[in-house]
Amino acid sequence: MENGEIEGAADDGVPVPAPPNGRRYRPVGSSDRAVIQMTSMEPGSSSSTSVAAVSGITPQPPRNLTVDPSLQEDHTVSQGDSKLELFGFDSLVNILGLKSMTGEQIQAPSSPRDGEDVAITIGRPKETGPKFGTMMGMAGVWQSLVLVSFCGACTFLTGISLSAIATNGAMKGGGPYYLIGRALGPEVGVSIGLCFFLGNAVAGSMYVLGAVETFLDAVPSAESVTVVNNTLVNGTATASTATISTPSLHDLQVYGVIVTILLCFIVFGGVKIINKVAPAFLIPVLFSLLCIYLGVFIAPRHNAPKGITGLSITTFKDNWGSEYQRTNNAGVPDPNGSIYWDFNALVGLFFPAVTGIMAGSNRSASLKDTQRSIPIGTLSATLTTTAMYLFSVLLFGALATREELLTDRLLTATVAWPAPAVIYIGIILSTLGAALQSLTGAPRLLAAIANDDILPVLNYFKVSEGAEPHSATLFTAFICICCVVIGNLDLITPTITMFFLLCYAGVNLSCFLLDLLDAPSWRPRWKFHHWSLSLVGALLCVVIMFLISWSFTVVSLALASLIYYYVSLKGKAGDWGDGFKSAYFQLALRSLRSLGANQVHPKNWYPIPLIFCRPWGKLPENVPCHPKLADFANCMKKKGRGMSIFVSIIDGDYHELAEDAKTACRQLDTYIEYKRCEGVAEIIVAPSMSEGFRSIVQTMGLGNLKPNIIVMRYPEIWRRENLIQIPSTFVSIINDCIIANKAVVIVKGLDEWPNEYQRQYGTIDLYWIVRDGGLMLLLSQLLLTKETFESCKIQVFCIAEEDTDAEELKADVKKFLYDLRMHAEVIVVTMKSWEPHMESSSSGAPQDDSQEAYTSAQRRISTYLSEMKETAQREGHPLMEDGKQVVVNEQKIEKFLYTMFKLNSTILRYSRMAAVVLVSLPPPPLNHPAYFYMEYMDLLVENVPRMLIVRGYRRDVVTFFT
């Protein structure tokens, strides 16, 4: 031999060429003995992970092959065709089987699980896609070390995140659900918590089946029926054809149900009984681990196979590199097989052996000191078991040749001292302990979710503090028994692993978010944590999920998303101070600071309306706002974007009415939510409405998030109900808005304003009199974005003097609208000015529909002015109104009144059938009686059913430019 080549030949005697690295191995054929195994034994501490002895991991074979002795050439020849086998699952102790013993005939499993799907039929068995590949035999020592370190790093980082969150205050029952829910919100917590519960419940049945299979394998006489099958290689009979004797599905079901019921009795006994029983499961498992390691160090013994060399540096070097190979659909190593095993497949094979770190947190309500027990127990178990895995890789890499690693199904049983039977006992007790752990933790998790009262459907599982969750235990046992009766968990098991990984990712994301936000309440006692470590841990969980199976990852995420949607739809609202709320708060603060105090560019301008809820008059009891105000506020937003501030003012003393204000604020919040309007509610207590509004307009908002439009209802009832205080309040509010540079929109005909289901037809007419920064044009465009007004067309009426060039004005306005990307019909209307009116008045007053209202307004103003003069003359002081001196210019009063009359006449002539009319709001004249201004406004809105009176502010809200 040269260059360290190892002699080998294929089954037909043809020498096998050496691989590029100079070494040569005989391909593993169907006549070789089955492969390796991994035992995972985990101490039953409050939080622990798996402890394993690894000699390699392979797809699981049908067990208990009976081989014709005439086909055996020596003791290293295969006992028959077999699948490669995995031993190791997530739980208290991750052992599903150390099943076959070297040189002895044993029975095959009848319960397909995790990598085997054996048909219980006479003749050719059903072929299945192999689900696991070998680890030591195929990956070699160095890739096995990388694999163990990769999976161990994921659980270790999760343990760090878990420790940080668990030590940030008192922790109730529910374990990871409680932590995730309080960090990411009830919707995320419940969705991941229910998935984690389902994973634990179904995993319990998997452990029960593992224990039963191993028992039937060790005690064949306990079987009632044995089914014998033939195993074929590549679908044809060969010299290595073997028969498989499998326990019947009936045996697995009967024994599985009995074992599950017995475990349930233990669980019903409570935590004290479980703690007393735990050593009975733990001590034999630890003893079997000791026997394996003793056997490794004293190997090879006198009856050991030739492939077991003992601890040898030469064997270690030979096993250092990887040598992946193919298997056929039945999982048998075959150079011409269709399945190729790589590192990704091994990740899916090994990862279940490192789960179980949530065992302590699942029982958080039963721990005396969660803030001490969870970090110490979780991290100690994680480090210990990871170190044992790494140590086992090194030992078994130096213990046996690659051929032996690939062909000996139970290498640990082969080398165990003093006898392989010890391993059987360890398997049975470890899987029973794992099942007991699942039946203990899952009900407590479900009860914790129910106690939070998020989902009413879970109320049946509520328990009082300190009580045992008997209802949840029965439900968990029911799920476990159903899965045991089904017997085939092939499709469920990968999803279980995904649920565990989802839970781990949720814990890491929770710690990442809390650590990154660093709120004042984030003060964990466990100091060795950082947001970057939690982020890496979460990313590792996601990567491992996709490495194992992208399809099962999608299914698991879809199920969690459906639960999330259901909780959002049907669940009760809960405020747990989760990290998302803190994130929203900090994001809002940063956004507010980034906006600064400078004016917003017209391209980024959004309406932030301040809705003045207090009506001019009374509303029914427990009605905090006019029902149509929220409908109108929604019409001012494009696709619902923007924020509205609903404000109401209570007259009186703040100290006396503070509680009334809080009650009114809650009612207003309920109204806003009912109307599905994005907004906030504010209640102000002030001596009067005028003073209260003046305070609001000065202080409401922060930075550039201050309200920029004041919306209120037109006081149509003031004359009818003789509310003489309304004119002064109305004028005061408008003057305050002008001084504070706020836009004003006054809604006339609010009672007739259409809701979202009342479609409008016709036109939206704009009477554009003064430059308002484009606000009136923008409001008309926002109305068109709503289904209510989308069938309407816009008409722009330009009011001009008679001597104005109408065509030139029309062309200019059309060009202006085109540059603003607005479609509208332009109409120019001329109006008589004051001087022509004076000339025509000598021949008779104008006659139209508004004449009567105009004449009545003149008469009322004349009467009110006469009363003011008489009072001033009698009391010997200038003209006064509401304690303030006013200046009256009768000529200006008449001019103002006539202008309103002509504008109203024009509106009635052109826009009587319009869906809504928008007109510019004239500012109140300085030192003018408020009563006169209300007469002007009444004349303007006379006989117009629905009108928006708009005044912009000293800035543009639209722009020509991109």
Side-chain angles (χ1 to χ4, degrees):
M1 294 185 290
E2 297 180 0
N3 300 327
E5 295 179 352
I6 298 178
E7 291 290 352
D11 292 342
D12 56 4
V14 179
V16 178
N21 61 4
R23 291 179 296 181
R24 184 169 63 189
Y25 300 101
R26 177 177 63 78
V28 179
S30 57
S31 61
D32 291 323
R33 280 194 318 183
V35 229
I36 45 175
Q37 66 83 38
M38 175 182 68
T39 63
S40 305
M41 305 180 181
E42 179 179 17
S45 60
S46 63
S47 176
S48 57
T49 186
S50 309
V51 179
V54 181
S55 65
I57 305 171
T58 57
Q60 183 164 336
R63 294 181 298 161
N64 306 352
L65 305 182
T66 303
V67 184
D68 187 346
S70 63
L71 298 178
Q72 293 184 329
E73 297 178 357
D74 56 42
H75 65 277
T76 62
V77 179
S78 170
Q79 298 183 16
D81 292 343
S82 65
K83 291 184 182 179
L84 307 182
E85 184 168 19
L86 163 71
F87 305 97
F89 295 88
D90 44 350
S91 72
L92 175 66
V93 197
N94 295 322
I95 300 177
L96 281 189
L98 295 169
K99 300 183 178 93
S100 60
M101 308 293 290
T102 301
E104 64 182 66
Q105 298 179 358
I106 47 182
Q107 289 186 248
S110 63
S111 171
R113 72 186 202 293
D114 268 290
E116 61 181 10
D117 191 3
V118 181
I120 309 300
T121 56
I122 302 298
R124 179 181 174 184
K126 172 183 172 184
E127 285 192 351
T128 63
K131 298 178 177 59
F132 305 105
T134 62
M135 188 174 83
M136 289 291 295
M138 291 186 180
V141 174
W142 80 270
Q143 287 197 18
S144 297
L145 293 173
V146 172
L147 176 60
V148 173
S149 301
F150 180 65
C151 296
C154 176
T155 54
F156 180 72
L157 293 176
T158 304
I160 291 178
S161 300
L162 178 67
S163 301
I165 304 176
T167 57
N168 189 50
M171 181 178 173
K172 297 181 180 179
Y177 155 74
Y178 183 86
L179 301 177
I180 295 172
R182 269 58 181 179
L184 302 182
E187 295 85 0
V188 178
V190 171
S191 59
I192 294 181
L194 287 178
C195 288
F196 193 53
F197 160 75
L198 185 61
N200 275 280
V202 178
S205 63
M206 187 170 58
Y207 302 137
V208 169
L209 287 176
V212 172
E213 288 182 2
T214 307
F215 171 73
L216 295 177
D217 187 13
V219 187
S221 60
E223 299 182 26
S224 61
V225 179
T226 300
V227 181
V228 180
N229 300 326
N230 291 327
T231 301
L232 306 181
V233 177
N234 295 330
T236 61
T238 65
S240 60
T241 300
T243 60
I244 307 175
S245 59
T246 62
S248 68
L249 181 61
H250 175 266
D251 288 339
L252 291 173
Q253 292 171 339
V254 172
Y255 284 111
V257 170
I258 293 174
V259 170
T260 304
I261 294 175
L262 292 177
L263 292 176
C264 287
F265 277 116
I266 298 176
V267 174
F268 269 101
V271 177
K272 293 183 179 179
I273 300 298
I274 296 173
N275 290 337
K276 292 179 180 179
V277 173
F281 296 99
L282 174 62
I283 294 174
V285 171
L286 297 178
F287 179 72
S288 62
L289 281 174
L290 179 62
C291 292
I292 292 174
Y293 285 116
L294 288 177
V296 169
F297 285 106
I298 65 176
R301 289 183 284 172
H302 66 280
N303 59 344
K306 293 180 180 179
I308 298 179
T309 63
L311 297 178
S312 169
I313 189 63
T314 303
T315 304
F316 186 82
K317 290 180 179 178
D318 291 340
N319 291 331
W320 179 257
S322 61
E323 189 172 304
Y324 295 105
Q325 58 180 291
R326 295 181 178 275
T327 66
N328 60 19
N329 290 336
V332 177
D334 186 352
N336 300 319
S338 60
I339 307 297
Y340 182 74
W341 295 96
D342 55 12
F343 187 82
N344 291 359
L346 295 183
V347 172
L349 172 73
F350 178 74
F351 187 79
V354 299
T355 56
I357 61 174
M358 297 297 176
S361 61
N362 284 345
R363 298 166 59 185
S364 55
S366 303
L367 298 177
K368 183 177 180 180
D369 187 357
T370 57
Q371 299 191 34
R372 180 179 181 275
S373 300
I374 290 179
I376 295 177
T378 302
L379 294 177
S380 298
T382 303
L383 291 174
T384 301
T385 53
T386 302
M388 292 184 67
Y389 280 131
L390 294 172
F391 187 54
S392 299
V393 169
L394 297 175
L395 287 181
F396 282 91
L399 178 67
T401 62
R402 189 181 300 270
E403 288 82 2
E404 188 69 23
L405 290 171
L406 289 171
T407 56
D408 193 335
R409 298 183 63 194
L410 279 170
L411 184 59
T412 52
T414 302
V415 301
W417 180 92
V422 177
I423 306 303
Y424 276 120
I425 297 173
I427 295 170
I428 295 173
L429 291 179
S430 62
T431 48
L432 290 177
L436 182 64
Q437 185 66 43
S438 295
L439 293 174
T440 302
R444 284 161 173 76
L445 178 59
L446 182 61
I449 298 175
N451 284 343
D452 281 331
D453 202 22
I454 299 298
L455 285 179
V457 73
L458 299 179
N459 288 342
Y460 300 103
F461 305 112
K462 286 184 177 180
V463 294
S464 58
E465 187 174 356
E468 291 293 328
H470 295 312
S471 298
T473 301
L474 288 175
F475 183 65
T476 304
F478 173 75
I479 296 176
C480 186
I481 290 175
C482 288
C483 294
V484 168
V485 171
I486 293 172
N488 191 341
L489 302 178
D490 286 358
L491 297 179
I492 302 176
T493 303
T495 309
I496 296 172
T497 303
M498 299 303 169
F499 289 159
F500 280 101
L501 282 167
L502 272 179
C503 181
Y504 299 166
V507 171
N508 281 302
L509 286 176
S510 301
C511 186
F512 163 74
L513 185 62
L514 295 174
D515 216 350
L516 187 65
L517 296 175
D518 199 18
S521 61
W522 177 245
R523 301 186 305 276
R525 286 191 172 91
W526 180 262
K527 302 300 182 183
F528 302 100
H529 62 89
H530 193 265
W531 63 264
S532 59
L533 296 178
S534 300
L535 180 60
V536 171
L539 293 177
L540 280 178
C541 292
V542 176
V543 168
I544 291 174
M545 290 176 70
F546 281 97
L547 286 179
I548 293 175
S549 172
W550 69 266
S551 58
F552 278 106
T553 300
V554 172
V555 170
S556 303
L557 292 176
L559 179 59
S561 300
L562 287 175
I563 298 176
Y564 179 92
Y565 177 75
Y566 179 77
V567 175
S568 302
L569 197 65
K570 300 292 185 179
K572 298 180 181 179
D575 187 5
W576 294 343
D578 55 87
F580 281 136
K581 298 289 179 62
S582 178
Y584 297 153
F585 180 76
Q586 293 201 21
L587 182 61
L589 290 180
R590 292 187 180 184
S591 300
L592 186 61
R593 288 197 299 266
S594 66
L595 286 175
N598 299 324
Q599 290 186 349
V600 179
H601 193 276
K603 290 191 296 184
N604 299 324
W605 188 87
Y606 283 86
I608 306 178
L610 188 148
I611 313 296
F612 191 29
C613 296
R614 180 168 177 176
W616 308 104
K618 298 293 183 181
L619 283 174
E621 189 177 356
N622 297 326
V623 178
C625 184
H626 194 288
K628 295 295 183 71
L629 270 175
D631 293 330
F632 178 73
N634 284 329
C635 289
M636 298 181 66
K637 302 173 186 176
K638 186 175 181 180
K639 298 181 180 179
R641 297 170 186 157
M643 180 182 69
S644 300
I645 303 175
F646 289 78
V647 175
S648 186
I649 300 174
I650 299 178
D651 294 341
D653 182 78
Y654 175 71
H655 294 283
E656 297 177 358
L657 300 175
E659 291 301 320
D660 294 342
K662 293 178 182 178
T663 302
C665 189
R666 286 193 295 268
Q667 292 177 346
L668 192 54
D669 269 326
T670 304
Y671 164 81
I672 295 171
E673 184 178 355
Y674 170 75
K675 299 296 289 186
R676 293 180 295 177
C677 184
E678 292 185 359
V680 295
E682 293 290 344
I683 302 295
I684 302 297
V685 179
S688 66
M689 187 184 298
S690 298
E691 293 184 29
F693 185 84
R694 189 167 294 126
S695 301
I696 291 171
V697 81
Q698 293 181 76
T699 60
M700 187 66 68
L702 294 171
N704 272 323
L705 288 183
K706 291 181 178 180
N708 47 31
I709 300 178
I710 308 300
V711 178
M712 60 181 171
R713 180 188 183 187
Y714 184 78
E716 303 171 51
I717 63 172
W718 77 278
R719 192 191 314 281
R720 182 174 68 248
E721 298 186 11
N722 195 29
L723 301 175
I724 58 176
Q725 78 281 3
I726 285 183
S728 59
T729 303
F730 183 72
V731 171
S732 173
I733 289 175
I734 294 177
N735 285 330
D736 289 342
C737 292
I738 294 174
I739 294 174
N741 195 26
K742 305 289 185 184
V744 181
V745 176
I746 301 172
V747 186
K748 193 267 180 182
L750 185 62
D751 294 336
E752 290 77 33
W753 190 263
N755 59 35
E756 56 182 330
Y757 305 109
Q758 296 173 319
R759 185 176 292 271
Q760 301 296 301
Y761 300 92
T763 60
I764 299 175
D765 293 351
L766 281 69
Y767 286 82
W768 196 10
I769 301 174
V770 297
R771 182 177 181 272
D772 62 354
L775 178 61
M776 190 185 299
L777 293 171
L778 183 61
L779 286 178
S780 65
Q781 294 295 320
L782 291 175
L783 289 176
L784 286 182
T785 64
K786 303 300 176 183
E787 292 185 3
T788 304
F789 294 98
E790 64 181 1
S791 300
C792 298
K793 295 182 180 180
I794 297 178
Q795 294 184 140
V796 177
F797 292 85
C798 298
I799 309 300
E801 302 292 342
E802 283 189 340
D803 56 355
T804 303
D805 187 343
E807 292 301 322
E808 182 179 356
L809 176 60
K810 183 176 182 178
D812 291 341
V813 174
K814 279 189 173 182
K815 177 64 169 56
F816 178 75
L817 295 176
Y818 176 80
D819 291 339
L820 290 177
R821 293 90 62 201
M822 295 181 179
H823 302 283
E825 181 183 355
V826 179
I827 302 172
V828 177
V829 178
T830 59
M831 292 181 60
K832 290 183 179 180
S833 62
W834 167 244
E835 289 78 9
H837 164 62
M838 293 298 294
E839 295 173 1
S840 63
S841 62
S842 59
S843 58
Q847 299 294 323
D848 58 25
D849 294 341
S850 303
Q851 180 63 49
E852 183 179 351
Y854 173 69
T855 304
S856 299
Q858 283 182 315
R859 185 171 57 252
R860 287 192 298 270
I861 287 177
S862 178
T863 301
Y864 188 82
L865 182 59
S866 299
E867 293 176 354
M868 288 180 62
K869 289 180 178 179
E870 290 178 4
T871 301
Q873 186 176 7
R874 184 175 60 252
E875 297 180 0
H877 56 68
L879 294 177
M880 304 286 288
E881 185 186 50
D882 295 333
K884 298 179 182 178
Q885 183 176 350
V886 295
V887 177
V888 176
N889 186 325
E890 296 186 30
Q891 187 178 13
K892 286 185 177 181
I893 293 174
E894 184 63 24
K895 180 179 180 180
F896 214 121
L897 189 64
Y898 179 75
T899 303
M900 294 296 101
F901 161 66
K902 289 297 295 180
L903 182 56
N904 177 260
S905 300
T906 304
I907 292 172
L908 292 178
R909 184 179 306 120
Y910 292 101
S911 305
R912 187 181 292 271
M913 301 304 294
V916 62
V917 175
L918 286 80
V919 66
S920 299
L921 171 69
L926 188 64
N927 296 326
H928 211 62
Y931 179 86
F932 294 173
Y933 185 75
M934 286 303 302
E935 289 287 357
Y936 307 153
M937 296 301 300
D938 277 356
L939 186 58
L940 174 63
V941 303
E942 183 72 24
N943 295 324
V944 181
R946 195 180 296 144
M947 177 183 285
L948 301 181
I949 310 169
V950 181
R951 179 173 182 82
Y953 57 122
R954 296 185 296 271
R955 58 164 306 172
D956 292 332
V957 297
V958 293
T959 179
F960 297 143
F961 306 104
T962 301

